[in-house]
Amino acid sequence: MAQTKSNKVMSLYQKVTAYPFGKHIFSKMVARMAPYFGTVHPYISDLRINRCECLIKKRKKVQNHIGTVHVIAICNGLEMAMGTMAEASIPAHLRWIPKGMSVDYTAKAASDILCVAEVKPEQWQVGDMLVDVKAYDTNGVVVVQGHIKLWISQKPQK
């Protein structure tokens, strides 16, 4: 089922990003809702229905022993991108919860990392749903790819 009407998260994004530094403000708001996301200082660079892009800057705090961005930091960014996309995109009669994540490390993450989560509109159906996630370096090379499995269910009647 496709969503055409903006929900609260998408409306908030559109409102806040109309101001200077709006994307920074929105990113901090999301990170405060799930404080663990704040550990990688994520930046939501783009949010559309069914797609979110989240940037993780290469900093000492997210690097591993060989000086590349640690894959767990990347997974954190991928989960933030997925969660923000899901909250901004899910049809009003549905709800979601993550069930798992499966990723492959495909290249060294030696630069800033762009985490992308994307689904097709027809995927929003009750049951298991796989959200495609990819992380790109500044040269556009995929450094991590995989999916996050969500359980989609009907919201209970009020």
Side-chain angles (χ1 to χ4, degrees):
M1 170 177 267
Q3 177 180 330
T4 56
K5 183 182 174 196
S6 289
N7 66 15
K8 289 179 185 178
V9 172
M10 185 59 77
S11 295
L12 178 65
Y13 175 79
Q14 291 166 341
K15 182 178 181 180
V16 171
T17 58
Y19 295 100
F21 305 106
K23 288 182 180 181
H24 285 285
I25 294 166
F26 181 78
S27 298
K28 287 191 181 296
M29 292 170 76
V30 172
R32 285 186 60 118
M33 286 187 252
Y36 185 72
F37 291 148
T39 63
V40 296
H41 297 279
Y43 174 75
I44 304 288
S45 57
D46 187 38
L47 177 61
R48 292 177 259 151
I49 292 176
N50 300 318
R51 181 180 172 90
C52 182
E53 297 180 4
C54 176
L55 181 67
I56 299 173
K57 291 282 205 179
K58 183 183 177 195
R59 303 172 3 271
K60 186 72 173 162
K61 287 187 175 188
V62 296
Q63 290 180 32
N64 57 23
H65 65 288
I66 61 172
T68 60
V69 179
H70 196 286
V71 73
I72 297 304
I74 295 171
C75 287
N76 195 355
L78 290 170
E79 190 174 1
M80 181 168 172
M82 177 282 302
T84 306
M85 178 279 301
E87 283 297 312
S89 306
I90 193 164
H93 69 286
L94 298 175
R95 61 186 179 176
W96 66 273
I97 189 165
K99 285 180 69 176
M101 174 185 261
S102 176
V103 295
D104 294 316
Y105 316 154
T106 56
K108 284 186 179 180
S111 68
D112 295 346
I113 302 297
L114 183 66
C115 300
V116 179
E118 188 168 27
V119 296
K120 293 179 176 74
E122 59 271 13
Q123 287 182 260
W124 292 110
Q125 296 183 29
V126 171
D128 283 341
M129 178 173 128
L130 297 179
V131 178
D132 288 327
V133 292
K134 289 185 180 169
Y136 300 87
D137 69 10
T138 54
N139 294 317
V141 174
V142 175
V143 297
V144 175
Q145 66 183 6
H147 63 266
I148 298 174
K149 185 188 288 189
L150 303 183
W151 174 250
I152 308 295
S153 60
Q154 295 279 343
K155 283 186 178 175
Q157 297 283 332
K158 289 187 178 185

